[in-house]
Amino acid sequence: MVQAAKQNASYKTMHEASIADPIEFWSEQAKLIHWEKPFNQVLDYSNPPFSKWFEGGLTNLCYNAVDRHLAERGEQIALVAVSTETNQEKTYTFQELHTEVNRMAAILKTNGVNKGDRVLIYMPMIAEACFAMLACARIGAIHSVVFGGFASHSLAARIDDAQPKMIISAEAGIRMGKGVPYKPLLDEAIALAEFKPTKVLIVNRGLTPYTSVAERDLDYAAEREKNIAAQVAVEWVDATHPSYILYTSGTTGKPKGVQRDTGGYAVALTASMQHIFCGKPGETMFTTSDIGWVVGHSYIIYAPLLNGMATIMYEGTPLRPDAGIWWSLVEKYKVSVMFSAPTAVRVLKKQDPSFLTKYDLSSLRYLFLAGEPLDEPTANWIHEAINKPVVDNYWQTETGWPILAIQSGIETMPHKFGSPGLPSFGYNIKLLDDATGAELGADAKGVIAIEGPLPPGCMQTIWGDDARYVKTYWESIPGKLIYSTFDWGIKDSDGYFFILGRTDDVINVAGHRLGTREIEESLSSHPNLAEVAVVGIADQLKGQVAIGFAIPKDATQTTTLEAELMKTVDSQLGAVARPARVYIVNALPKTRSGKIVRRALQAVAEGRDPGDISTMEDQAVLMHIKEVIEQKRS
Ligand code: AMP
């Protein structure tokens, strides 16, 4: 135990130092990346809550992720693109990746995209998506990747907000061997949007036929050919120059564009690879997420490459051709660090466990899981099946890298079941009473908040809306300027945090954050809908699913209403946001002031006692809803 105590001191000392003197701490970490010109100051926090990290320093994400490694590991694999849908597998060395990124950068440049211009990337998990992100970074353009599962209305809202000069897409994705057309959704989105991109670059995978718009649409293969020998100089940008915008759902229907910087992000990700993920240059990381989510940005594309590691991009499900596919990739590419989500593990858990032991997993050091709560049976099952440490970590699109984790690169510390661990370096976490803002002690439930300045790599602002950034994130706790995560949590007497769910109406389906308000707005556009409420309820596989309760305008026309409502969401937001069920009801539970009591709806849909419903105007409504649910079940 003496040793454990001594070891503890080292995480503790480093964390304390990172809070007491962030300037000293991060100036040391900044040495992990290349600076073309040194920064003037480590941190400018003269205008809280806006923090400017490494201002005046010139750097480039693409240079640090690719060019920087050419001398030492140009011939080593940088990218493995595996599709079990098209049965294609292709590797790119750092040199080859460099060549492809230069070609893509030249396509951008010759089509008028320059530093600061936005490029929207709406793509499946193919190598070209990685080239596109890195090419944007190379020329200082700001990418905004939109998850391929989103449909035209979601896409149109993002086009209008980001105003991209160019959109890069593919004609189709593919699922279970069947082409999923992207191009018609994209055309529809552009038609819906007020802002019009000048150019649309399409990677034609030969999966589905599509029509091109003259003057606007470009064919990637032809453009690549034109730029086959292109070399595009790196655009050195200020550390505070935005690298990307990534939209995420909140409590309103309007998604928020999380804006990230360049230098702080590069430093934070590289440091996280050393402190948390323990990946070494020359090794391989396999993150099973999608580039449309923050985990994909940080740990499929940027962090492994910044760290000189190969990364695997995987298109397909964890079950095709069989449930051993991911582990076969671990064996084949000697993966040392794997990163997935609890939902994916729950999917695997339903399969024959022998698939997990069939392959040589000796290269694998850790399996990291994040994005949603990790339940004990899932954690235990996967730990026993692969016999590797399973490491939970907690963070958000806004922070870009883990807020809570075990810093295994610093010392071996005990894991506690149900806890993602302790604050990462630079995160000064407080547990606060949501009503008074008072700081809470051990074992009390409060809102997890972060004292400014946020560490490097966290969001700079909401794209184009500083006021919304301050109001949404920093002014939700009474009497304090402090960042709210909008998660409930508790801290035990050893300082380990436990996450207890969201404080807002945001739900988490299979590790993907969805705003119930967005789904409600989409459902409401159906002509026969008078009122609707959407809540998230517990689900064994996906953690949570969305459930809708809808009051029709014409109660005689409801035979196909549920199916029509699902279709509405599919076509506007995308299948990812489709509720598991929409119950057709004749009333919703409300307070006397007319507010829908979502807590009660959620309890009834989960088959739980709704608790105190004395504030409810008409308590018979809940009985009616219970009956509707039971009828549908039987
Ligand atoms: P997103 O920004 O889509 O990654 O969603 C972030 C949200 O997912 C957080 O605010 C949490 O509610 C939840 N979350 C992420 N990681 C974890 C975790 N390890 N345990 C519990 N909840 C998590």
Side-chain angles (χ1 to χ4, degrees):
M1 272 344 276
V2 173
Q3 198 190 354
K6 202 168 120 206
Q7 282 181 340
N8 269 357
S10 114
Y11 155 76
K12 209 167 163 262
T13 317
M14 268 181 88
H15 186 261
E16 278 168 9
S18 74
I19 302 302
D21 191 351
I23 290 174
E24 170 62 26
F25 183 86
W26 291 108
S27 73
E28 194 55 35
Q29 302 303 319
K31 294 178 188 156
L32 292 168
I33 70 158
H34 170 83
W35 295 95
E36 185 66 7
K37 174 182 161 286
F39 36 88
N40 303 330
Q41 56 176 335
V42 178
L43 170 66
D44 173 1
Y45 198 53
S46 56
N47 179 27
F50 299 93
S51 34
K52 291 185 183 166
W53 287 99
F54 310 118
E55 206 179 12
L58 291 182
T59 188
N60 181 287
L61 262 183
C62 176
Y63 180 88
N64 274 288
V66 185
D67 303 50
R68 190 186 185 201
H69 306 302
L70 291 179
E72 200 178 329
R73 55 187 87 254
E75 298 313 312
Q76 283 180 17
I77 293 177
L79 174 66
V80 185
V82 180
S83 174
T84 50
E85 297 287 352
T86 59
N87 289 321
Q88 283 168 343
E89 194 164 319
K90 198 158 185 307
T91 57
Y92 299 84
T93 61
F94 276 96
Q95 189 60 60
E96 288 164 340
L97 179 61
H98 182 260
T99 305
E100 293 298 346
V101 170
N102 270 282
R103 289 170 182 157
M104 186 67 93
I107 298 174
L108 293 172
K109 279 270 190 200
T110 52
N111 284 290
V113 178
N114 288 304
K115 181 180 169 190
D117 289 337
R118 274 78 60 211
V119 175
L120 190 140
I121 299 174
Y122 180 58
M123 290 179 97
M125 288 289 286
I126 54 177
E128 288 80 1
C130 173
F131 307 157
M133 291 167 76
L134 292 167
C136 288
R138 187 170 196 83
I139 65 168
I142 302 165
H143 62 66
S144 182
V145 182
V146 178
F147 176 58
F150 283 123
S152 52
H153 284 235
S154 305
L155 202 44
R158 287 154 174 79
I159 293 172
D160 275 334
D161 196 72
Q163 308 204 331
K165 203 168 223 179
M166 185 189 268
I167 296 184
I168 307 181
S169 190
E171 101 288 8
I174 178 167
R175 198 164 170 82
M176 307 299 275
K178 222 176 131 245
V180 182
Y182 277 30
K183 183 67 167 54
L185 295 182
L186 180 58
D187 287 341
E188 199 183 317
I190 296 173
L192 280 170
E194 273 173 37
F195 182 86
K196 307 292 175 200
T198 321
K199 295 286 175 198
V200 173
L201 180 68
I202 298 290
V203 177
N204 184 0
R205 310 177 71 195
L207 296 173
T208 59
Y210 67 96
T211 46
S212 280
V213 176
E215 309 294 321
R216 190 197 72 184
D217 292 358
L218 303 165
D219 174 59
Y220 172 69
E223 291 293 311
R224 180 177 173 274
E225 209 49 49
K226 280 195 235 163
N227 294 284
I228 205 82
Q231 292 284 331
V232 177
V234 163
E235 178 88 40
W236 298 108
V237 297
D238 194 278
T240 59
H241 179 71
S243 58
Y244 67 75
I245 309 164
L246 179 57
Y247 287 89
T248 188
S249 300
T251 45
T252 65
K254 191 175 184 282
K256 293 175 293 216
V258 167
Q259 179 185 316
R260 189 99 57 217
D261 71 357
T262 299
Y265 187 49
V267 170
L269 287 186
T270 315
S272 78
M273 291 304 286
Q274 299 204 346
H275 300 151
I276 302 170
F277 295 96
C278 308
K280 298 193 178 75
E283 295 181 346
T284 306
M285 181 161 188
F286 180 19
T287 300
T288 69
S289 181
D290 187 285
I291 48 149
W293 308 112
V294 70
V295 175
H297 281 63
S298 292
Y299 294 102
I300 295 177
I301 305 296
Y302 290 115
L305 294 175
L306 286 167
N307 199 35
M309 295 176 78
T311 186
I312 300 181
M313 283 181 81
Y314 178 80
E315 179 181 57
T317 77
L319 303 180
R320 263 167 58 107
D322 61 46
I325 177 64
W326 283 359
W327 315 101
S328 76
L329 292 173
V330 171
E331 176 182 290
K332 184 166 178 187
Y333 293 103
K334 300 198 170 35
V335 171
S336 61
V337 184
M338 191 164 168
F339 190 163
S340 192
T343 292
V345 176
R346 287 192 289 265
V347 167
L348 291 175
K349 205 168 139 193
K350 294 189 159 181
Q351 307 295 313
D352 181 349
S354 69
F355 281 121
L356 279 81
T357 45
K358 233 169 106 178
Y359 298 95
D360 176 6
L361 305 183
S362 55
S363 60
L364 189 65
R365 280 198 294 275
Y366 295 100
L367 172 64
F368 291 89
L369 297 175
E372 54 182 313
L374 175 61
D375 56 289
E376 185 162 14
T378 302
N380 284 343
W381 179 81
I382 190 70
H383 173 64
E384 276 162 29
I386 63 171
N387 194 24
K388 303 283 174 185
V390 174
V391 190
D392 190 1
N393 56 112
Y394 158 83
W395 46 298
Q396 317 181 295
T397 305
E398 288 83 348
T399 65
W401 60 286
I403 302 169
L404 295 173
I406 294 291
Q407 314 288 315
S408 307
I410 301 301
E411 64 174 283
T412 314
M413 289 183 72
H415 290 253
K416 291 199 187 188
F417 170 68
S419 167
L422 301 144
S424 300
F425 301 133
Y427 286 100
N428 187 5
I429 305 183
K430 306 277 179 209
L431 266 181
L432 304 179
D433 183 296
D434 62 322
T436 64
E439 192 170 349
L440 303 170
D443 298 325
K445 178 179 167 178
V447 180
I448 301 179
I450 308 169
E451 194 90 63
L454 293 178
C458 293
M459 77 189 290
Q460 291 180 294
T461 185
I462 292 177
W463 174 254
D465 202 343
D466 285 350
R468 187 176 177 206
Y469 169 63
V470 177
K471 188 164 183 297
T472 307
Y473 292 103
W474 293 86
E475 293 182 346
S476 75
I477 310 271
K480 277 202 168 85
L481 187 74
I482 193 163
Y483 175 90
S484 174
T485 61
F486 297 100
D487 280 306
W488 295 113
I490 54 169
K491 181 166 85 162
D492 72 9
S493 49
D494 295 329
Y496 283 68
F497 283 82
F498 296 76
I499 312 297
L500 303 174
R502 297 281 303 190
T503 63
D504 55 14
D505 292 332
V506 167
I507 62 173
N508 192 317
V509 179
H512 305 322
R513 189 203 299 195
L514 297 173
T516 51
R517 226 32 76 80
E518 257 173 295
I519 307 175
E520 284 170 3
E521 279 179 18
S522 172
L523 290 168
S524 298
S525 69
H526 189 282
N528 190 20
L529 222 62
E531 202 176 357
V532 65
V534 171
V535 296
I537 68 161
D539 180 82
Q540 280 211 327
L541 190 66
K542 297 180 173 178
Q544 274 190 312
V545 289
I547 299 283
F549 296 88
I551 308 178
K553 282 184 186 149
D554 179 354
T556 62
Q557 302 291 322
T558 57
T559 334
T560 55
L561 186 55
E562 184 178 9
E564 289 165 30
L565 289 169
M566 301 287 193
K567 250 201 201 139
T568 307
V569 176
D570 275 6
S571 67
Q572 293 187 357
L573 303 182
V576 65
R578 184 198 306 154
R581 280 225 75 133
V582 179
Y583 294 110
I584 311 300
V585 297
N586 60 27
L588 289 170
K590 291 193 175 162
T591 61
R592 286 180 189 93
S593 58
K595 226 175 141 228
I596 296 170
V597 191
R598 290 157 193 282
R599 174 181 54 78
L601 277 175
Q602 187 186 37
V604 170
E606 286 180 349
R608 289 185 289 113
D609 176 2
D612 179 12
I613 51 169
S614 56
T615 57
M616 222 177 274
E617 193 183 34
D618 179 359
Q619 301 187 5
V621 172
L622 271 191
M623 281 308 295
H624 154 70
I625 290 177
K626 231 186 210 166
E627 276 163 25
V628 173
I629 294 174
E630 272 157 22
Q631 251 173 27
K632 290 281 175 192
R633 275 204 193 116
S634 59

